[in-house]
């Protein structure tokens, strides 16, 4: 029976506790699947985990644990397939990506993202199908993997990247060594300069009709083409601008023409060191005013400035922004606050009367005087105030209490005369000896460190906030006035910072000094005071506010306060205390000394300064008052960089046709190095033709041969030269070149008749490695006319005819001619005829044919020789 009772008790306990314990699952099989799914989940195997969770849920669809596990498995497995699909699609495998997205949607049909990815991938597959039908080839994987939105973004980026900056002039001959023109019109000056520099000129029709016509004389020595164009523009009051790398446009220089033709640039400047809106606004205001830019806007979201204006204005704004965008100076200030308190107390007392005599006479009558002990009973009354339940005040007077005290002894009046000294008593003081000493010293040291930016206020607060009443409002309900309601109900409070409060505004000077605006407040609660029922704190304060200037690292005391208080007290019996020596028995003295000292010091350390370079301090020429015009120096050239020689030398030349002389062995073929930009000017850079880039030389006569670098006109890397032509095709020189190069007419003086047509040859001696040559001839248009121009045999020794570019203006007596070897042709050398001129005598007189500028150039546009011969022509 006892065992049965125990079993029944256990059963009842299980029945009562069982419903309170949660069960993980209701079936063993479901529990098994759930555990297997969780094992796969730990390994991030979401497909297998979802499969196990689905099996567990099929065992008991109503189990909450199975439902939660299956829902999580669907979400995670779907997300995994979405990620895999995105990676596969980026690789260009669109079919596999579509299957991944479909699996994700099948696992989680509620996923909107999976549905969107399926539609997007189907559109991409259809796009690639159409591309194959149209072009017959698939796109690269990186292009196939672009979504429609990414494809649109890529097209937009391509369009943005194709936007070109303002054209920059890149003449084939950037430097003019000797350019002389005498009494020529502005159009002739521009045309001749363009021909020598290898550039094209376009004119405003209004410039040709109503432009400047006054003739000018110019002489440019070792000037760049842009400098020469600027000089001509200044002399002729013209305005020019580049249209592309080898073409300029010329018009009249006035405000209307500049507004119509001057290109504008849109640019965004990103500031790297600005962190305050007022600084950004200050820079925008300064740049807008100085550069006269009306369209200049700040963008605070990216700390950027958007500008639109002419190229020179934008370039000047870029210079100013570069100089102003500097990090501000920063200062670290060490603050030392030292407070020392000293309290000294000493007390000495000896004898029975060290603090003076204070004897009380007490009446203690003898019993024979029929003493009757009496009690003095005093009755006091007070006024009380009661308040009725209706709120009406009633005042009344009554006795509230009685107090009684024994104040002495009562004797009959008949016994007063019987009293004597025996009826009185007193208490004599005991002898005392006191000697006490107290010496208290307190030191408080606070050394905070504060870092600030130039011109910005920095603050630091160390301490607590103390509440104090700052105001109150009246209670409009008179019924509860005076009922003992706490005054805190209608009182406003403000919290005061108590402790060490520091505010500094630093400014760093160029010489390293630091100016500080300092506000230092050191406060503490020294007590409490009750005001209107509220305890208000009594705050002791030491505050300093001043402007100081210190050297970096200088220790400076900015505040000091010393307070000393001495108290000396003497007590004793009057008269007796003043007796020498014995007076010590009847007196006592104490000494109190209090000393309070506070010292505040600051040490500034400059940790950052703006990097102001000489380039920032340099002024730039910005043109006249009405327009912003900048002048740029040519880019620097690294003359030490030489192209490597070719690995395969050119074949040896064959025997010369005349005299059977064998030409000297050809030099190795120099391969031009890749040049990313147009050729840079040098002190001896001659002209080159605008028609085509100069070829690479193949063979050269004895002597050092300068390296050949054919700079492309478009700035793309140069392409290696094709195999050189056989040296036998190169015209061998009539004699080995020796001595200086000489350019001259065949005769110095000739005689002709009026109406006669005749030829004049320009010859060269001892030339080598010649690729091109520009010519400028001047003559009297009233006496001579130039009918035709032909290249001499010096250029076509290998059978290749050269290119001849000419600009003959018989009305002004000016001819500009350039002869170039064809692209791919070898350089030539030796002696022979450079140019043949066909002239006609128009009227009698003494005429002169002057070659103002003849230079021989190699493949690097370097001058090999020059001359200015003069031919005298007597016409009868």
């Amino acid at each position: 029976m006892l065992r049965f009772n125990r079993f029944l008790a256990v059963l009842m306990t299980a029945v009562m506790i069982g419903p309170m314990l949660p069960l993980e699952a209701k079936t063993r099989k479901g529990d098994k699947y759930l555990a297997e799914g969780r094992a796969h989940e730990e390994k991030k195997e979401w497909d297998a985990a979802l499969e196990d969770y689905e099996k567990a849920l099929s065992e008991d669809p109503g189990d909450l644990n199975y439902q939660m596990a299956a829902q999580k498995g669907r979400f995670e497995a779907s997300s995994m397939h979405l990620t895999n699909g995105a990676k596969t699609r980026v690789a260009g495998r669109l079919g596999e990506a579509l299957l991944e997205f479909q699996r994700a949607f099948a696992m989680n049909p509620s996923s909107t993202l999976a549905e969107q990815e399926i539609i997007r991938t189907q559109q991409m597959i259809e796009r690639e199908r159409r591309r194959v039908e149209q072009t017959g080839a698939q796109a690269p994987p990186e292009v196939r993997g672009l979504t429609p939105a990414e494809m649109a973004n890529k097209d937009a980026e391509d369009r943005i990247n194709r936007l070109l900056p303002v054209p920059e002039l890149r003449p084939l001959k950037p430097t003019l060594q000797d350019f002389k023109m005498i009494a020529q019109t502005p159009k002739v000056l521009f045309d001749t300069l363009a021909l020598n520099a290898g550039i094209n000129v376009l004119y405003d029709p209004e410039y040709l009709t109503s432009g400047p016509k006054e003739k000018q004389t110019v002489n440019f020595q070792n000037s760049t083409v842009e400098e020469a164009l600027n000089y001509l523009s200044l002399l002729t009051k013209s305005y020019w601008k580049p249209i592309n790398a080898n073409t300029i446009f010329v018009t009249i220089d006035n405000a209307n023409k500049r507004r119509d033709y001057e290109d504008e640039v849109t640019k965004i400047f990103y500031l790297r060191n600005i962190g305050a809106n007022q600084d950004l606004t200050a820079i925008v205001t300064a740049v807008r005013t100085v550069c006269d830019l009306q369209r200049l806007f700040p963008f605070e979201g990216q700390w950027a400035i958007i500008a639109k204006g002419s190229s020179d204005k934008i370039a000047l704004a870029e210079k100013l922004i570069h100089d102003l965008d500097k990090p501000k100076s920063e200062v670290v200030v060490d603050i030392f606050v030292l407070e020392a308190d000293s309290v000294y107390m000493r007390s000495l007392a000896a004898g029975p009367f060290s603090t003076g005599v204070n004897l009380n006479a007490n009446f203690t009558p003898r019993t024979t005087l029929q003493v009757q002990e009496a009690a003095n009973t005093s009755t006091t009354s007070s006024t009380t105030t009661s308040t009725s339940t209706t709120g009406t005040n009633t005042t009344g007077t009554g006795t509230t209490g009685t107090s009684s005290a024994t104040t002495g002894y009562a004797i009959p009046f008949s016994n007063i005369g019987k009293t004597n000294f025996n009826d009185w008593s007193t208490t004599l003081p005991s002898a005392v000896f006191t000697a006490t000493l107290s010496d208290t010293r307190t030191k408080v040291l606070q050394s905070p460190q504060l870092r600030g930016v130039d011109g910005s206020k920095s603050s630091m607060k160390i301490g607590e906030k103390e509440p104090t009443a700052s105001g109150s409002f009246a209670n409009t309900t008179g019924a509860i006035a005076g009922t003992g309601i706490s005054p805190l109900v209608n009182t406003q409070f403000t919290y005061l910072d108590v402790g060490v409060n520091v505010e500094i505004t630093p400014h760093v000077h160029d010489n390293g000094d630091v100016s500080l605006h300092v506000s230092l407040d050191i406060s503490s609660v020294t007590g409490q005071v009750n005001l209107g029922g509220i305890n208000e704190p009594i705050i002791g304060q030491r505050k300093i506010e001043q402007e100081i200037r210190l050297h970096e690292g200088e220790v400076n005391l900015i505040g000091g306060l010393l307070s000393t208080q001495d108290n000396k007290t003497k007590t004793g019996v009057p008269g007796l205390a003043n007796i020498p020596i014995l007076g010590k028995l009847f007196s006592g003295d104490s000494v109190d000394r209090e000393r309070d000292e506070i010292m505040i010091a600051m040490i500034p350390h400059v940790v950052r300064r703006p990097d102001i370079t000489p380039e920032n301090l340099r002024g730039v020429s910005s043109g006249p008052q009405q327009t912003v015009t900048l002048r740029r120096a040519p880019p620097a050239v690294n003359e030490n960089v030489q192209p490597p020689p070719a690995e395969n030398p050119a074949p040896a030349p064959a025997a010369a046709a005349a005299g059977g002389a064998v030409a000297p062995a050809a030099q190795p073929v120099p391969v031009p190095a890749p040049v990313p930009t147009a050729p840079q000017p040098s002190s001896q850079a001659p002209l080159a033709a605008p028609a085509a880039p100069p070829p690479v030389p193949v063979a050269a006569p004895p002597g050092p041969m300068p390296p050949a670098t054919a700079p492309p006109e478009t700035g793309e890397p140069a392409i290696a030269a094709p195999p050189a032509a056989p040296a036998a095709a190169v015209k061998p020189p009539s004699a080995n070149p020796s001595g200086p190069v000489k350019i001259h007419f065949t005769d110095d003086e000739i005689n002709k008749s009026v109406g006669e047509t005749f030829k004049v040859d320009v010859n060269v001696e001892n030339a080598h490695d010649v690729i091109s040559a520009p010519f400028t001839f001047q003559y009297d248009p009233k006496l001579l006319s130039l009918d035709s121009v032909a290249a001499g045999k010096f250029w076509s020794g290998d059978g290749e005819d050269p290119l001849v570019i000419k600009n003959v203006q018989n009305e002004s007596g000016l001819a500009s001619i350039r002869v170039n070897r064809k692209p791919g042709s070898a350089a030539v050398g030796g002696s022979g005829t450079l140019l043949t001129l066909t002239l006609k005598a128009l009227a009698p007189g003494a005429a002169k044919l002057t070659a103002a500028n003849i230079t021989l150039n190699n493949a690097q546009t370097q001058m090999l020789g020059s001359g200015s011969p003069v031919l005298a022509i007597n016409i009868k």
Side-chain angles (χ1 to χ4, degrees):
M1 189 65 182
L2 181 59
R3 292 181 179 177
F4 177 76
N5 292 336
R6 291 179 179 176
F7 174 76
L8 184 60
V10 172
L11 181 61
M12 293 299 294
T13 302
V15 170
M16 295 175 63
I17 298 178
M20 300 172 61
L21 298 176
L23 297 179
E24 190 176 36
K26 294 182 179 179
T27 63
R28 293 183 178 178
K29 199 171 184 180
D31 292 346
K32 177 183 176 182
Y33 290 139
L34 182 63
E36 293 176 353
R38 289 177 176 173
H40 289 297
E41 179 179 341
E42 292 178 356
K43 300 177 182 179
K44 305 300 180 182
E45 299 172 351
W46 290 109
D47 287 345
L50 177 60
E51 183 179 357
D52 291 332
Y53 291 153
E54 293 288 352
K55 290 179 180 179
L57 186 61
S58 64
E59 295 294 331
D60 188 358
D63 188 271
L64 184 60
N65 290 327
Y66 297 164
Q67 294 176 2
M68 294 175 60
Q71 186 65 28
K72 180 181 179 181
R74 294 190 191 97
F75 177 80
E76 295 292 347
S78 177
S79 300
M80 181 189 67
H81 285 286
L82 286 174
T83 303
N84 294 339
K87 294 179 180 178
T88 306
R89 186 173 61 189
V90 169
R93 302 193 299 272
L94 302 182
E96 299 178 17
L98 180 60
L99 292 178
E100 290 289 339
F101 293 139
Q102 290 174 345
R103 292 192 189 100
F105 183 76
M107 292 178 178
N108 188 10
S110 62
S111 175
T112 305
L113 180 60
E115 185 178 0
Q116 293 174 349
E117 295 295 345
I118 290 174
I119 297 174
R120 187 178 293 114
T121 307
Q122 289 175 345
Q123 293 174 351
M124 296 169 63
I125 294 175
E126 182 62 26
R127 180 190 66 195
E128 294 305 315
R129 182 182 293 109
R130 290 195 302 268
R131 178 179 298 171
V132 172
E133 292 175 356
Q134 295 174 1
T135 63
Q138 288 186 352
E142 60 274 10
V143 178
R144 291 200 306 269
L146 296 177
T147 64
E150 292 172 345
M151 184 69 73
N153 293 335
K154 181 178 181 299
D155 294 340
E157 291 179 0
D158 292 341
R159 290 192 297 271
I160 293 175
N161 293 333
R162 289 199 302 271
L163 295 177
L164 298 177
V166 174
E168 181 180 354
L169 188 65
R170 296 178 180 177
L172 291 179
K173 180 183 177 182
T175 304
L176 302 176
Q177 297 296 330
D178 186 8
F179 183 81
K180 299 178 182 178
M181 298 290 292
I182 301 174
Q184 299 298 328
T185 62
K187 183 178 184 302
V188 174
L189 294 175
F190 277 106
D191 287 339
T192 307
L193 177 62
L195 185 63
N196 281 270
I199 59 177
N200 305 314
V201 185
L202 298 178
Y203 293 96
D204 182 11
E206 188 176 348
Y207 183 83
L208 300 177
T209 57
S210 58
K213 303 296 183 183
E214 183 179 357
K215 295 183 179 181
Q216 302 288 345
T217 299
V218 296
N219 184 4
F220 300 147
Q221 299 290 337
N222 194 24
S223 300
T224 65
V225 173
E226 291 193 13
E227 290 175 345
L229 290 173
N230 291 332
Y231 298 156
L232 289 183
S233 299
L234 181 63
L235 288 175
T236 61
K237 297 181 180 180
S238 304
Y239 165 70
W240 73 275
K241 73 166 190 176
I243 297 179
N244 53 35
N246 64 345
T247 305
I248 64 172
F249 175 81
V250 180
T251 185
I252 304 173
D253 189 7
N254 56 47
N256 294 331
K257 290 297 183 181
R258 283 183 175 269
R259 183 177 61 251
D260 294 340
Y261 292 107
E262 192 171 26
D263 292 329
E264 290 196 344
V265 177
T266 301
K267 189 171 182 178
I268 300 178
F269 302 97
Y270 292 95
L271 306 181
R272 297 174 295 175
N273 301 296
I274 300 301
N277 293 336
Q278 58 269 24
D279 296 336
L280 178 63
T281 304
I283 290 180
V284 170
T285 303
V287 173
R288 179 186 288 120
T289 304
V290 174
C291 300
D292 194 21
L293 275 172
Q294 301 301 322
R295 285 166 287 186
L296 191 70
F297 306 98
F299 182 68
E300 298 175 358
Q302 295 289 338
W303 299 111
I305 298 176
I306 306 172
K308 185 176 186 293
S310 65
S311 59
D312 286 339
K313 290 182 178 180
I314 296 298
L316 181 59
E318 183 176 19
K319 203 271 181 187
L320 294 180
I321 293 174
H322 175 267
D323 293 344
L324 293 175
D325 185 20
K326 300 288 185 181
K328 289 187 176 182
S329 301
E330 293 187 40
V331 178
V332 172
V333 180
D334 293 326
I335 305 171
F336 295 93
V337 180
L338 178 62
E339 184 176 1
D341 296 335
S342 176
V343 180
Y344 175 84
M345 293 185 299
R346 178 183 60 82
S347 179
L348 296 176
F353 303 110
S354 59
T355 59
V357 178
N358 186 13
L359 299 178
N360 297 323
N362 300 320
F363 181 60
T364 56
R366 294 163 292 164
T367 57
T368 60
L369 296 179
Q370 300 180 1
V371 177
Q372 294 181 4
E373 189 174 344
N376 244 345
T377 302
S378 62
T379 303
T380 60
S381 62
S382 62
T383 301
T384 60
T385 301
S386 62
T387 303
S388 66
T389 57
T390 60
T392 303
N393 295 336
T394 303
T395 304
T397 304
T399 301
T400 58
T402 302
S403 62
S404 62
T406 302
T407 60
Y409 295 91
I411 62 173
F413 281 101
S414 60
N415 293 336
I416 292 178
K418 299 177 181 180
T419 61
N420 54 34
F421 281 102
N422 294 326
D423 298 321
W424 297 88
S425 63
T426 185
T427 303
L428 294 177
S430 303
V432 65
F433 177 80
T434 302
T436 60
L437 177 64
S438 175
D439 189 357
T440 304
R441 300 177 184 271
T442 303
K443 291 184 179 180
V444 178
L445 175 63
Q446 293 176 325
S447 57
Q449 191 178 69
L450 191 59
R451 180 165 180 162
V453 180
D454 193 326
S456 300
K457 182 173 68 175
S458 301
S459 61
M460 179 175 60
K461 302 179 186 298
I462 302 175
E464 300 83 21
K465 284 183 175 289
E466 287 291 335
T468 180
S470 60
S472 62
F473 57 90
N475 191 355
T476 58
T477 307
I480 63 173
T483 57
I485 298 178
S486 172
L488 300 177
V489 175
N490 54 0
T491 302
Q492 298 174 344
F493 288 88
T494 299
Y495 286 86
L496 302 179
D497 294 311
V498 177
V500 178
N501 303 314
V502 184
E503 290 184 357
I504 63 170
T505 303
H507 174 63
V508 180
H509 301 275
D510 291 339
N511 62 350
D513 288 357
V514 179
S515 292
L516 294 174
H517 176 81
V518 182
S519 177
L520 182 61
D521 184 0
I522 302 174
S523 57
S524 61
V525 177
T526 59
Q528 298 285 334
V529 61
N530 189 287
L531 299 176
I534 301 175
N535 289 330
E536 296 285 348
I538 301 175
I539 298 177
Q541 187 180 51
R542 298 179 181 92
K543 186 172 183 179
I544 296 174
E545 186 169 355
Q546 59 184 0
E547 295 277 351
I548 58 175
R549 177 164 177 168
L550 307 173
H551 293 297
E552 181 183 1
E554 177 183 357
V555 181
N556 188 57
L557 181 68
I558 66 171
L561 178 63
L562 175 62
S563 175
T564 303
Q565 180 178 353
D566 292 339
N567 296 324
K568 186 175 183 180
T569 305
K570 184 176 183 180
T571 60
V573 179
L576 297 178
N578 297 327
I579 299 175
I581 301 175
L582 294 178
K584 297 294 184 179
L585 300 176
F586 303 98
S587 64
D589 67 84
S590 62
V591 177
D592 296 340
R593 293 192 182 95
E594 294 183 6
R595 181 185 179 93
D596 187 6
E597 183 178 4
I598 184 170
M599 184 183 68
I600 304 168
M602 285 191 174
I603 307 174
H605 304 281
V606 179
V607 296
R608 185 194 299 274
R609 289 183 183 175
D611 184 18
I612 299 177
T613 62
E615 185 66 23
N616 302 138
L617 302 175
R618 182 178 62 89
V620 296
S621 173
S622 56
Q625 180 179 3
Q626 300 298 327
T627 59
V628 175
T629 304
L630 301 183
R631 292 174 174 83
R632 297 172 176 83
V637 179
N638 188 356
E639 299 179 353
N640 297 325
V641 178
Q642 302 291 343
E647 297 181 358
N648 298 323
V662 180
Q667 301 293 330
V669 180
V671 179
V675 179
T677 56
Q680 307 301 332
S682 62
S683 59
Q684 308 232 340
L687 303 173
V696 178
V698 175
M705 174 176 166
T709 303
E713 185 176 341
T714 60
E716 298 294 332
I719 302 174
V730 181
K731 174 187 175 183
S734 56
N736 290 339
S738 60
V741 178
K742 182 179 180 182
I743 300 175
H744 59 88
F745 290 107
T746 303
D747 300 310
D748 294 335
E749 184 177 1
I750 59 176
N751 299 316
K752 299 296 177 182
S753 302
V754 175
E756 182 181 355
T757 300
F758 57 95
K759 295 183 178 182
V760 175
D761 294 335
V762 181
N763 303 318
V764 64
E765 296 179 6
N766 303 323
H768 62 86
D769 241 2
V770 180
I771 287 294
S772 64
F775 302 83
T776 301
F777 297 101
Q778 292 181 346
Y779 50 90
D780 189 349
K782 297 179 181 179
L783 303 179
L784 294 174
S785 68
L786 179 59
D787 293 345
S788 62
V789 178
K793 295 183 179 180
F794 174 82
W795 301 97
S796 56
D798 57 354
E800 291 287 341
D801 293 332
L803 299 175
V804 180
I805 303 172
K806 58 185 178 179
N807 181 15
V808 179
Q809 301 177 10
N810 284 320
E811 67 276 6
S812 58
L814 180 67
S816 298
I817 304 165
R818 174 180 288 277
V819 181
N820 296 323
R821 294 280 292 165
K822 288 184 178 180
S825 300
V828 293
S831 302
T833 302
L834 290 174
L835 200 66
T836 299
L837 305 178
T838 301
L839 302 170
K840 184 176 181 180
L842 301 179
K848 286 186 178 181
L849 179 61
T850 303
N853 185 22
I854 301 177
T855 58
L856 303 179
N857 306 326
N858 62 8
Q860 291 78 39
T861 68
Q862 295 175 339
M863 185 175 64
L864 305 175
S866 64
S868 299
V870 179
L871 174 63
I873 304 175
N874 300 317
I875 303 176
K876 298 180 181 180

